[in-house]
Amino acid sequence: MPKEFAVPFHWRRFRERYQIIGTKCEHCGSYFYPKRVVCPKCRRAGKLKEVKFSGKGKVITYTVIRVPPEGFKIYAPYIIGIIELEEGARLLSQITDCEPEEVKIGMPVKACFRKIRSENETGLILYGFKFRPI
Amino acid sequence: MAVGIVGYGVYIPKYRIKAVDIARVWGSDPERIKNLVGEKSVPDLDEDTASMAVEASMDAIARSCINPIDIGAVYVGSESHPYVVKPTASIVAEAIGATPELTAADLEFACKAGTAGWQAVMGLVESKKIKYGLVVGSDTAQGRPGDELEYTAAAGAAAYIFGRKKFIAEVEDTYSFTTDTPDFWRRDGEDFPRHGGRFTGDPAYFKHVISATKGLLNKMKRDINDYDYFVFHQPNAKFPISAAQMLGIPKEKVIPGLLVHKIGNTYSASSLLGLAAVLDIAKPGDKILLTSFGSGAGSDSFSIVVNDLIEKRRGKARLVKDFLENKKYIDYSQYVKFRRKIKGVDE
Amino acid sequence: MRGVAIVGIGCTKFGEHWNKGIKELAVEAGIKAIEDCKISGKDIQLIIGGNMSGGMFAGQEHISALLADQLGLNPTAAIRTEAACASSAVALRVGYLAIMSGLYDIVAVGGVEKMTDVYGSQAITTLAGAMDQETEAYFGLTFPGAYALIANRHMYEYGTTREQLAMVAVKNHKNAIHNPIAQYRKAITVSDVLESPLVADPLRILDCSPITDGAAIVILTSADIAKKYTDTPIYIKASAQASDTLSIYDRKDITTLSATVKAARDAYAQAKIKPKDIDVAEVHDCFTINEIIAYEDLGFCKKGEGGKLIQMGETEIGGRIPVNTSGGLKAKGHPVGATGVAQIIELVEQLRGEAGKRQVKNCEWGLAHNVGGSGATVVVHILSNNR
């Protein structure tokens, strides 16, 4: 993403990124991260309620980014994984506290709170969830 | 009205660098360094005072068995807050789910910002203004390359939740000793602190730690033998042992709370991590005397009595030894990259 | 029944054009397309141009207006379509719909992308604009990374090997030797691929399509009047498009681009043919894994057997189903907004019998498969030299 946005772009997502908050559709029982306004399965028949995920999950697939985009240069190489949370929803994040050789598909992981990057030397510091092996 | 620790949590990053590996780069004598510290913790590139404070706080909440929404105050003490203006405490409050009905602020008093936060929150709890209060001491201390303090400047966090009920350890009383003694300081905009060399010993650390400890004992009409454990601020392996000797404290009562040789000086978390290590093993009825020290300078002393609830709640979160055992060594080049001491990196 | 034909084609060489900007590239392709058929600029009733990110690559939005102006076609209307790397296949689809509606008879469609006026990391960041900014790019995912996530899962579920991925790049480089507009016209070996630097495990530099400047334009007319403009009209027998979730992680099956499956199914139904009837295909090999998955999703082989298909040589020129005779995105180059129409141009040359050393014998049916981003948009066209 471009180097810097005005504050609201990130601020409106602080809570859901800090606490891993998504939605559950009470009509079909599906869980979604991040929050959805419309249930993709039920559309208007859906009843979406906010839900906080436990943070426990397993690795569905992963890769190691060695050629990073802007803002991530110092962090490379870093591991990105698609994680399936125990509630059933999937999401994508970095896997930290782990060497590239140690990641395996199926590995159990737990969410932790980490810094994602800074928006340059004078801008905001962006935080969020990452996952660590347990 | 009694106030106590309802829960506690810690966080220590997993990377370590050995003091001898730093000594090698600067041509210092590794034998001399070994007496001060063995190795120290190094935060990963994606860790900072806020992220560690959140992790420690989550474990404290787990041990407290409370709903975070009932936390009425969050204070974070550090000398490496991620922002100079914009509190770490509000980031922590949001991440743990305590917002919006609470007060929050950041504190700074070198390595005793955490215990200063203790006293503020204890006041709010005891006066029934809030039900529970969270205090975190967290730091990713920066060591000036080639300086003495580079061997010990480390990273870690310790979080304590205070309440009037269901606490696992009562904080009976506190006593503080404060003077304007600039033994260690950092000016605005500077990357690294400066210090007074040998001046940081007798007129600073020892004067304040000894005075505060004796002051608390006098105030409570107790003596050294009434306590089972002593936890001091630990800038290196020598100072707390010397302070114990000066006070006539047997070494065995100090060793369990001494972590500096394995993780370095975690600054605002230092004495609080030592206390957590003791709480991890203490038995109901044990009495602990905690004395912090912050350069500038001051010491806060606390008298703590452990009760039965500790056995039930201790296991609900990670212990200090879990973090001590989860470690990975790095060399000096990785260390300077992680600590962002290299010029010209386009983040 | 109304139909649509392609009567003229034109594209620039694909590569690093230090001397040419968007304007020069578009005009060069446009002039070639016009000269390829007996048409005059004033006959063109509508212009549709695909471009992914003129804004982030060159600070230039309003590409539609730029095209109409630079091609000398004011006051003719111009529309820009954007669907990441599928931008110009969507442009073709819009042109097809315009003519099929009966409201237009002659339309110019194409695409242009200028990617080398930004430094490497900015190009990576710009391309990452095709993924979800808040849930994927936020954590530092890149496009090679997105397809690496898919590759790792495909290798885990089906045993696809690193060597099989490399074979896709090897084949496409070999084909491009005979393609005068290709960015890379040098053969490579499986070892070359496996020894090239890692970009996002397991994908290496030689698994990835390059950063390219280029433009490609075709002239469409209604089928009834096509023979006025060319002796070899090529007919669009199917035009289909489908969507999938923007984020990869939201998909039930990470190893399938379900938008490809849907668009292909619709396209085969429209053309009234089956996958085995396709004689030549241009598929979206932005990364080698994507060609393997395309074989499966387009029905050229069973799910999971894409690796075997390439290994057995069935997708070589002369094989059962030649794929990416042009060299694909990997060797021909991938100026993202122009790729969709560039694929069409290769099929037109094949179906006209003008593909030189790349020629597939006796071809009657060609299929183009263009993917946007990690598969959220897929467009499939089927062409034939038979009305």
Side-chain angles (χ1 to χ4, degrees):
Chain A
M1 51 199 344
K3 272 255 167 100
E4 192 177 71
F5 282 103
V7 172
F9 180 82
H10 288 296
W11 163 81
R12 69 175 65 96
R13 305 289 180 223
F14 277 178
R15 204 169 145 266
E16 65 189 61
R17 277 182 188 152
Y18 290 1
Q19 299 184 44
I20 317 185
I21 290 175
T23 39
K24 175 182 179 179
C25 175
E26 312 228 285
H27 192 251
C28 65
S30 310
Y31 285 88
F32 303 103
Y33 179 84
K35 286 165 42 172
R36 285 253 178 191
V37 181
V38 175
C39 173
K41 295 190 182 141
C42 314
R43 281 187 282 268
R44 274 180 295 172
K47 267 189 70 189
L48 293 168
K49 239 186 72 164
E50 200 179 83
V51 71
K52 182 163 141 70
F53 291 100
S54 72
K56 297 207 193 88
K58 61 180 200 270
V59 176
I60 296 297
T61 183
Y62 66 92
T63 183
V64 180
I65 303 291
R66 297 186 192 264
V67 180
E70 291 170 305
F72 286 88
K73 187 160 179 94
I74 198 173
Y75 303 96
Y78 50 90
I79 307 167
I80 293 221
I82 292 181
I83 311 295
E84 185 170 277
L85 299 172
E86 61 180 6
E87 294 87 347
R90 287 181 176 179
L91 42 61
L92 181 143
S93 182
Q94 290 186 23
I95 298 173
T96 190
D97 237 28
C98 182
E99 297 303 309
E101 314 80 63
E102 294 166 0
V103 202
K104 302 254 171 312
I105 292 181
M107 194 169 89
V109 290
K110 186 166 195 295
C112 58
F113 183 88
R114 291 289 174 113
K115 172 170 141 175
I116 307 299
R117 66 180 176 98
S118 306
E119 286 198 317
N120 68 53
E121 311 85 52
T122 62
L124 288 186
I125 303 172
L126 302 176
Y127 295 95
F129 54 85
K130 292 193 186 183
F131 288 85
R132 59 178 175 85
I134 45 169
Chain B
M1 171 101 280
V3 178
I5 298 166
V6 180
Y8 66 98
V10 302
Y11 183 84
I12 303 170
K14 87 179 216 190
Y15 292 105
R16 303 279 186 276
I17 182 167
K18 297 196 179 120
V20 296
D21 288 341
I22 301 175
R24 186 174 305 128
V25 173
W26 296 104
S28 302
D29 177 9
E31 288 308 307
R32 193 182 70 79
I33 302 299
K34 271 195 197 146
N35 296 329
L36 294 175
V37 66
E39 54 197 48
K40 67 171 186 174
S41 61
V42 182
D44 200 345
L45 285 160
D46 60 358
E47 301 190 284
D48 66 8
T49 292
S51 76
M52 296 191 307
V54 170
E55 288 285 300
S57 300
M58 301 291 277
D59 274 16
I61 290 168
R63 263 202 188 96
S64 321
C65 302
I66 63 166
N67 187 339
I69 205 78
D70 293 331
I71 292 174
V74 173
Y75 288 95
V76 179
S78 178
E79 49 119 79
S80 56
H81 288 290
Y83 294 87
V84 173
V85 176
K86 196 227 129 359
T88 308
S90 59
I91 300 172
V92 172
E94 190 73 72
I96 64 174
T99 54
E101 293 192 319
L102 81 161
T103 181
D106 284 359
L107 294 163
E108 187 279 311
F109 197 139
C111 305
K112 83 160 192 94
T115 52
W118 270 41
Q119 293 165 331
V121 160
M122 280 166 59
L124 287 170
V125 168
E126 197 165 0
S127 62
K128 298 194 185 170
K129 301 247 179 341
I130 61 176
K131 190 168 174 199
Y132 298 111
L134 167 68
V135 184
V136 189
S138 177
D139 255 307
T140 53
Q142 271 290 22
R144 184 182 295 275
D147 179 79
E148 281 263 326
L149 296 186
E150 195 184 22
Y151 296 101
T152 51
Y160 288 81
I161 297 178
F162 292 87
R164 292 182 296 282
K165 299 198 174 105
K166 305 237 209 95
F167 40 79
I168 59 181
E170 182 183 342
V171 182
E172 297 177 299
D173 206 349
T174 181
Y175 175 93
S176 290
F177 190 87
T178 307
T179 66
D180 190 32
T181 304
D183 60 302
F184 165 105
W185 69 93
R186 182 164 63 86
R187 293 289 299 275
D188 188 15
E190 288 294 291
D191 288 327
F192 304 107
R194 290 188 52 188
H195 58 89
R198 287 187 55 78
F199 181 79
T200 63
D202 282 329
Y205 179 90
F206 292 105
K207 172 166 164 193
H208 295 77
V209 167
I210 307 282
S211 303
T213 306
K214 281 189 177 161
L216 181 67
L217 292 171
N218 278 342
K219 183 181 179 195
M220 298 181 75
K221 300 199 178 15
R222 296 233 182 107
D223 72 51
I224 299 288
N225 302 315
D226 292 322
Y227 288 88
D228 304 289
Y229 296 97
F230 289 82
V231 180
F232 294 123
H233 171 56
Q234 16 199 295
N236 57 60
K238 279 167 61 181
F239 277 22
I241 298 286
S242 300
Q245 272 171 350
M246 291 177 199
L247 288 162
I249 298 168
K251 233 169 132 174
E252 317 74 68
K253 292 190 178 181
V254 181
I255 302 271
L258 213 53
L259 302 174
V260 58
H261 208 266
K262 298 207 188 93
I263 59 173
N265 178 2
T266 52
Y267 284 56
S268 298
S270 180
S271 53
L272 296 178
L273 281 172
L275 174 65
V278 169
L279 290 173
D280 284 348
I281 57 168
K283 292 186 305 308
D286 280 345
K287 285 198 178 57
I288 308 166
L289 195 149
L290 166 74
T291 301
S292 64
F293 171 74
S295 290
S299 279
D300 304 321
S301 268
F302 301 86
S303 179
I304 300 163
V305 185
V306 178
N307 70 32
D308 301 323
L309 285 176
I310 190 129
E311 318 260 69
K312 242 181 37 174
R313 300 244 280 270
R314 170 185 292 150
K316 290 185 182 290
R318 295 173 280 184
L319 302 173
V320 170
K321 77 170 164 69
D322 297 330
F323 286 96
L324 294 179
E325 288 161 11
N326 179 26
K327 63 180 182 175
K328 188 168 179 0
Y329 289 107
I330 57 174
D331 64 24
Y332 195 78
S333 57
Q334 286 172 293
Y335 165 72
V336 293
K337 180 185 172 189
F338 281 11
R339 297 308 287 128
R340 292 178 168 87
K341 300 198 217 197
I342 302 179
K343 261 167 69 165
V345 178
D346 176 24
E347 283 221 30
Chain C
M1 169 64 202
R2 199 158 165 82
V4 180
I6 302 167
V7 303
I9 56 173
C11 71
T12 64
K13 240 174 98 46
F14 282 8
E16 290 163 328
H17 290 291
W18 308 117
N19 293 329
K20 297 179 189 169
I22 294 177
K23 296 168 181 169
E24 289 85 356
L25 293 167
V27 172
E28 187 185 319
I31 292 178
K32 285 191 184 160
I34 296 264
E35 291 179 346
D36 187 52
C37 54
K38 304 183 198 75
I39 210 159
S40 161
K42 58 177 168 43
D43 297 330
I44 295 171
Q45 300 164 326
L46 180 62
I47 303 156
I48 304 153
N51 173 267
M52 173 180 173
S53 197
M56 281 171 72
F57 282 127
Q60 182 68 62
E61 301 288 15
H62 214 180
I63 297 282
S64 53
L66 181 150
L67 289 174
D69 178 352
Q70 291 293 314
L71 293 168
L73 298 179
N74 292 136
T76 306
I79 300 172
R80 168 184 174 187
T81 55
E82 187 277 316
C85 330
S87 295
S88 55
V90 172
L92 180 68
R93 176 152 173 72
V94 172
Y96 171 86
L97 294 172
I99 294 178
M100 289 297 276
S101 73
L103 295 171
Y104 293 90
D105 293 309
I106 302 176
V107 172
V109 308
V112 60
E113 206 78 50
K114 175 73 192 169
M115 299 174 73
T116 58
D117 281 347
V118 296
Y119 297 115
S121 60
Q122 197 178 333
I124 293 170
T125 304
T126 302
L127 290 169
M131 64 178 73
D132 192 314
Q133 293 305 291
E134 295 182 313
T135 63
E136 295 179 306
Y138 182 73
F139 292 100
L141 186 62
T142 58
F143 255 93
Y147 279 96
L149 290 168
I150 294 175
N152 263 324
R153 188 75 199 180
H154 200 273
M155 291 162 84
Y156 174 83
E157 286 189 33
Y158 302 112
T160 305
T161 66
R162 258 293 3 183
E163 287 76 10
Q164 287 164 343
L165 296 180
M167 288 171 197
V168 171
V170 170
K171 164 180 74 71
N172 291 348
H173 269 259
K174 192 167 70 169
N175 292 347
I177 292 174
H178 306 300
N179 188 349
I181 61 121
Q183 186 167 0
Y184 299 116
R185 301 182 65 188
K186 215 171 72 117
I188 58 174
T189 65
V190 168
S191 296
D192 289 334
V193 181
L194 298 183
E195 286 164 22
S196 63
L198 281 166
V199 173
D201 302 18
L203 297 179
R204 296 174 178 270
I205 283 227
L206 290 179
D207 286 299
C208 308
S209 56
I211 303 290
T212 317
D213 301 329
I217 295 184
V218 298
I219 311 293
L220 306 179
T221 69
S222 79
D224 292 331
I225 61 172
K227 291 242 161 88
K228 267 175 54 181
Y229 301 100
T230 178
D231 298 324
T232 53
I234 303 298
Y235 301 94
I236 299 180
K237 304 295 286 178
S239 172
Q241 179 177 346
S243 68
D244 195 353
T245 63
L246 182 59
S247 303
I248 318 172
Y249 64 81
D250 268 333
R251 298 176 194 167
K252 280 190 266 320
D253 177 7
I254 291 172
T255 63
T256 298
L257 295 191
S258 61
T260 299
V261 175
K262 170 106 182 35
R265 192 176 300 151
D266 289 351
Y268 292 130
Q270 280 177 42
K272 301 197 187 32
I273 60 170
K274 291 202 162 22
K276 65 177 173 51
D277 298 318
I278 298 293
D279 297 308
V280 61
E282 287 285 298
V283 312
H284 199 85
D285 61 320
C286 49
F287 301 94
T288 49
I289 180 64
N290 213 22
E291 180 165 325
I292 288 183
I293 291 178
Y295 297 161
E296 300 166 2
D297 295 341
L298 293 168
F300 298 153
C301 67
K302 288 216 264 293
K303 187 75 211 156
E305 304 209 336
K308 281 206 202 85
L309 199 71
I310 178 96
Q311 187 153 10
M312 298 194 303
E314 311 229 333
T315 54
E316 301 270 359
I317 299 176
R320 169 165 73 83
I321 168 64
V323 172
N324 284 340
T325 56
S326 64
L329 279 53
K330 171 67 193 76
K332 161 166 51 81
H334 184 32
V336 289
T339 277
V341 167
Q343 292 175 322
I344 296 293
I345 289 178
E346 174 69 6
L347 293 180
V348 167
E349 291 188 341
Q350 288 285 353
L351 293 166
R352 282 178 181 177
E354 292 172 7
K357 293 217 175 90
R358 310 185 312 280
Q359 187 66 52
V360 171
K361 302 211 178 345
N362 305 321
C363 49
E364 191 190 332
W365 293 98
L367 179 147
H369 164 253
N370 195 200
V371 176
S374 61
T377 299
V378 174
V379 190
V380 174
H381 283 96
I382 295 179
L383 310 185
S384 178
N385 45 26
N386 230 322
R387 176 131 189 218

